[in-house]
Amino acid sequence: MTVKGFLSRVVPQGTFFLSLFQSSFTFPVSKDLLTSATFNHVNPRHHTVATDCVSQTVSSRAVKGLSDEQILALFTSGFFGGFVFRAESWALNLLGARFLPARYTTFRPTPEALKVHRVSGISNKSLLPVGSLLFNSFLLVDKHTKAASEKMCENSHEKQNETPSSYVDYCFGSDEARFAGCHRFRVTRLPPAGDNTGNEGQVRIDLEHFRCNPQENKPSWAEKIPMLHFVYAKMLFANGMQALLAR
C-alpha cells in the first residue's frame, strides 16, 4: 500500500469532513436487500427489522478508471480499516469470537474464504472471497460486481433509465442469537442527465443496513441508542469515502 493509501485510512482529511456534510441519511433501503439470500441467512424467520441508509453521489470523474469491485474494495478498506473503526476492530479481535460471532445456520463459506485479523489483510484493490471473516465478527456473505459488458449495456440509450448496481454484504451477529444484521456497500453508476451525452455521469455510493432480533419478533437492543448509531454510521461511511476519493 502506498503512503497516500495508508494516510487515507488513519488520518482525517478534507474528504472525510466533506462526506459528513454531503452524505444523506434515510431510513428505507432497497427492496432487493430485504428479499435477498443474505436477508434470509441473517433473518430466516423474517422478524421485524430496522433499516437505514447513508448515501453520497460523486461525479464519474472522481472514480475514473476504477471498476465497481475496486470502488467497493477501496470503500471497504476505509470502512473497516480506517481510524473510525479502529477501536472496535481491536475489541472484536479480542472478544468478538466469544461474544459476537458471525455465523448463520444456512450459510456455507467458499473454500477460498479467509480470516482477517489485521487491517493489512483488507485489500483496497479487490474484494475478499465469500465467507471471509473480518475481526471475528463480520462475515462476507455475498457479493456481486458488474462485468464490463454490463456497463456497456447500461450506457446505451435503451438502458438510460436503469441503474443496475454492484454490492458486497458484510453481516454480523447470528440467526441463533438475539442480534444480527447486515451492511451492504453498493455502487450505482447513474447515466448523464437528459439527452446530452456530453453531460458527465455520476456514481452513487450507498451504505445500506438492517438489523433485527432473529430469535424473537421484536426490536433488537440497538433501537435504544438510535442517535449513537446515526453518528457512527455517518462517520464510518465518511471514512470509507475518504479511502475511495483520496486514493
Side-chain angles (χ1 to χ4, degrees), residues 98-112:
R98 180 177 180 182
F99 294 104
L100 195 62
R103 55 173 176 254
Y104 311 101
T105 306
T106 59
F107 176 75
R108 297 293 180 269
T110 61
E112 300 81 15

Side-chain angles (χ1 to χ4, degrees), residues 71-81 122 127 134 168 170 185:
I71 291 174
L72 291 170
L74 280 161
F75 187 88
T76 295
S77 73
F79 186 98
F80 287 112
I122 303 175
L127 295 171
L134 284 71
V168 58
Y170 297 100
F185 304 165

